[in-house]
Amino acid sequence: MDSRLLLENVGKVLKSIDDVVWGPVMLVLLVGTGMILTVRTGFLPIRNLGYALRSVLSKEARTKKGEGDISPFSALTTALAATIGTGNIVGVATAMVLGGPGALVWMWISAFFGMASKFSECMLSIKYREVNANGEMSGGPMYTLRHAFKHKRIGAVLGFLFALFTVLASFGIGNLTQANSISSALQNTFQVPVVVSGAVITVLALLIIVGGIKSISKVSQVVVPCMAVFYVIAGLIVILINIENVPSGVAQIFTMAFHPKAAAGGVGGVVVASVMQSVRWGVARGVFSNEAGLGSAAITAAAATTDSPVKQGYVNMTGTFFDTIVVCTITGLAIASSGVLGTIDPATGELMTGAALTIAAFTSALGEVGGILVCIGISLFAFSTILGWEYHGEKAFEYLVKKPKYCFIYRIVFSLVAYVGATTTLQIVWDFSDIANGLMAIPNLICLIAMSGVVAREMKAYQKVIEKEKDGRKQAVHQRKTGL
């Protein structure tokens, strides 16, 4: 058997495993865990979303109060750097083709329950974090499993597996695929050679990553809000230009989310999807985008300076809201209102999907500028993902080798791998890392369900603080109105 045939066979096997890992069972576990946590905590993650958003936007979120390495806001933006990525542009478009426009509704539903998962994994990560030999905070599901899991030996095994899968995923999903997305977008839009893109990505990543979490967070807290606002404004302009199509687009989204078999027409083609396809692709792309339940954001949350694990849990919980409810919705509405869904790609003769579909939606309203804006968005989102995932992988690597001093080697290797990703298409590596990304969730979900009682208890105890703050705001409003 020659090497080419061997690679093809290995690729088919990995693809089959990938389909199983990210199949219905995993999606049910991810959403189901979120539902269990939401119910067990008395729907507090939903009820306190306003409090969480106010906490993120407050001045206190940008100051260092309590133990930790970076501010609460920096911890959120670094986690968002890894979360808001190509999934928000490419993933949404793919879901709306394979699952129909209704997939967007199921993305929202997954985010609705995913906020409880994101809160829980981040809160537990802070509660059970520890200080390493360099005086830095180290935390995440692996530490929660090791310190708090009732069965210590099982907890240690699950913690090891989570850390191992996180390291593998950091090189693949968090690096190779992102660098390749950037180089491909720049080559197709601006004809930039992939070698040049790879060199620039590697140098920039190296300059930022070598400085560790403080350097990464400084860049993330500027880049992430700016890139999100930039993309949201561009998307809103597309939606406003196509405003007359928005009502029918929204109707189509909700109709196809629950219709047994529905079709959405486009220019020269039709997207047909059943409700099961809508659920499958909506939930899959939603979870893949916001990473609620995977445990990755919890690693960054552990670095936050805070005097309350619950409060930081609420801050990090908003990451799911911003990622899916805001950014993914903008992409979805832009596509639905533009009329490009169902368009046949002349280059392939098949339905246009992925980045090409989102570019077509923006181009239909903004001309060539639309394609340029999406290209810039993909580049910024993907590069920030590289930065955020480096920290996730580094902390998981530190957990495995036990000595923080070796993490500097990881930073160098991680940066150099970006060049490989930018210049080479390695489908087998991507499928393998996608599997590792999905397998991360299993130890984390076991941990969340086992620790759900602790989560509910901590959350309900902190509710007194939230109620006190609400009373204070009411009194302040009353005093302004009455002048007393």
Side-chain angles (χ1 to χ4, degrees), residues 51-133:
Y51 165 80
L53 292 171
R54 281 193 300 273
S55 297
V56 171
L57 300 174
S58 68
K59 188 181 294 184
E60 185 182 350
R62 290 162 178 78
T63 58
K64 294 182 179 181
K65 181 183 178 182
E67 296 181 344
D69 302 322
I70 55 178
S71 71
F73 182 74
S74 294
L76 171 64
T77 53
T78 303
L80 275 174
T83 305
I84 297 182
T86 53
N88 299 82
I89 296 176
V90 179
V92 175
T94 302
M96 292 180 73
V97 171
L98 298 177
L104 193 61
V105 172
W106 293 102
M107 290 182 80
W108 295 334
I109 292 173
S110 73
F112 181 86
F113 294 110
M115 286 193 289
S117 298
K118 185 65 70 75
F119 168 88
S120 302
E121 60 195 21
C122 291
M123 188 279 287
L124 290 170
S125 177
I126 298 165
K127 183 176 176 64
Y128 297 105
R129 65 186 178 179
E130 60 184 51
V131 180
N132 68 16

Side-chain angles (χ1 to χ4, degrees), residues 215-428:
S215 176
I216 293 172
S217 68
K218 283 180 181 177
V219 174
S220 297
Q221 69 182 357
V222 174
V223 172
V224 171
C226 289
M227 74 178 187
V229 170
F230 160 80
Y231 183 74
V232 166
I233 291 175
L236 286 174
I237 292 172
V238 172
I239 294 168
L240 288 172
I241 291 174
N242 297 315
I243 192 68
E244 61 182 23
N245 299 327
V246 171
S248 61
V250 172
Q252 199 174 65
I253 287 170
F254 281 97
T255 299
M256 290 194 70
F258 306 102
H259 199 285
K261 194 84 171 179
V267 182
V270 175
V271 171
V272 180
S274 67
V275 66
M276 288 309 297
Q277 288 174 305
S278 186
V279 172
R280 184 190 184 285
W281 289 104
V283 173
R285 292 300 100 183
V287 170
F288 191 79
S289 177
N290 60 50
E291 297 182 9
L294 296 189
S296 51
I299 298 173
T300 307
T305 52
T306 181
D307 52 4
S308 169
V310 176
K311 185 167 187 176
Q312 186 60 36
Y314 275 120
V315 170
N316 273 87
M317 180 189 82
T318 61
T320 300
F321 175 83
F322 289 126
D323 177 273
T324 306
I325 305 299
V326 177
V327 182
C328 287
T329 298
I330 292 296
T331 301
L333 290 178
I335 292 171
S337 64
S338 65
V340 299
L341 189 63
T343 301
I344 299 298
D345 190 337
T348 62
E350 299 177 351
L351 285 174
M352 189 177 288
T353 186
L357 182 62
T358 306
I359 289 173
F362 277 65
T363 302
S364 69
L366 303 173
E368 290 185 9
V369 174
I372 293 172
L373 290 175
V374 174
C375 173
I376 294 172
I378 289 175
S379 299
L380 288 174
F381 283 9
F383 184 71
S384 72
T385 299
I386 291 174
L387 298 182
W389 262 97
E390 188 284 330
Y391 184 71
H392 295 163
E394 178 183 324
K395 282 299 175 181
F397 181 76
E398 177 188 315
Y399 181 85
L400 294 174
V401 300
K402 309 300 181 186
K403 294 184 178 181
K405 64 180 181 180
Y406 294 132
C407 288
F408 190 80
I409 299 173
Y410 173 89
R411 295 174 189 176
I412 302 295
V413 173
F414 187 90
S415 299
L416 295 176
V417 166
Y419 182 83
V420 178
T423 57
T424 312
T425 300
L426 301 169
Q427 190 60 49
I428 288 180

Side-chain angles (χ1 to χ4, degrees), residues 135-147:
E136 300 169 337
M137 289 294 178
S138 295
M142 55 279 200
Y143 289 94
T144 303
L145 284 162
R146 187 170 74 184
H147 294 310

Side-chain angles (χ1 to χ4, degrees), residues 2-213:
D2 59 36
S3 58
R4 187 174 180 180
L5 185 59
L6 178 62
L7 287 174
E8 287 181 2
N9 290 334
V10 171
K12 289 178 182 178
V13 171
L14 288 176
K15 184 70 173 62
S16 299
I17 295 173
D18 192 23
D19 289 340
V20 172
V21 170
W22 282 103
V25 175
M26 175 62 77
L27 299 180
V28 168
L29 286 173
L30 283 163
V31 178
T33 300
M35 293 175 70
I36 291 170
L37 291 166
T38 300
V39 172
R40 185 151 193 188
T41 57
F43 288 83
L44 285 175
I46 310 302
R47 289 159 52 192
N48 290 330
L49 178 59
Y51 165 80
L53 292 171
R54 281 193 300 273
S55 297
V56 171
L57 300 174
S58 68
K59 188 181 294 184
E60 185 182 350
R62 290 162 178 78
T63 58
K64 294 182 179 181
K65 181 183 178 182
E67 296 181 344
D69 302 322
I70 55 178
S71 71
F73 182 74
S74 294
L76 171 64
T77 53
T78 303
L80 275 174
T83 305
I84 297 182
T86 53
N88 299 82
I89 296 176
V90 179
V92 175
T94 302
M96 292 180 73
V97 171
L98 298 177
L104 193 61
V105 172
W106 293 102
M107 290 182 80
W108 295 334
I109 292 173
S110 73
F112 181 86
F113 294 110
M115 286 193 289
S117 298
K118 185 65 70 75
F119 168 88
S120 302
E121 60 195 21
C122 291
M123 188 279 287
L124 290 170
S125 177
I126 298 165
K127 183 176 176 64
Y128 297 105
R129 65 186 178 179
E130 60 184 51
V131 180
N132 68 16
N134 292 340
E136 300 169 337
M137 289 294 178
S138 295
M142 55 279 200
Y143 289 94
T144 303
L145 284 162
R146 187 170 74 184
H147 294 310
F149 204 73
K150 186 176 180 181
H151 302 285
K152 297 299 181 183
R153 185 169 295 180
I154 296 175
V157 172
L158 291 174
F160 172 84
L161 290 174
F162 177 85
L164 177 63
F165 292 138
T166 301
V167 171
L168 294 175
S170 73
F171 282 106
I173 297 300
N175 191 337
L176 287 167
T177 57
Q178 305 302 326
N180 194 267
S181 295
I182 296 172
S183 63
S184 297
L186 292 176
Q187 184 182 45
N188 295 333
T189 306
F190 301 110
Q191 289 72 55
V192 178
V194 293
V195 175
V196 174
S197 297
V200 173
I201 294 168
T202 302
V203 171
L204 287 177
L206 194 59
L207 290 173
I208 298 167
I209 289 170
V210 166
I213 182 58

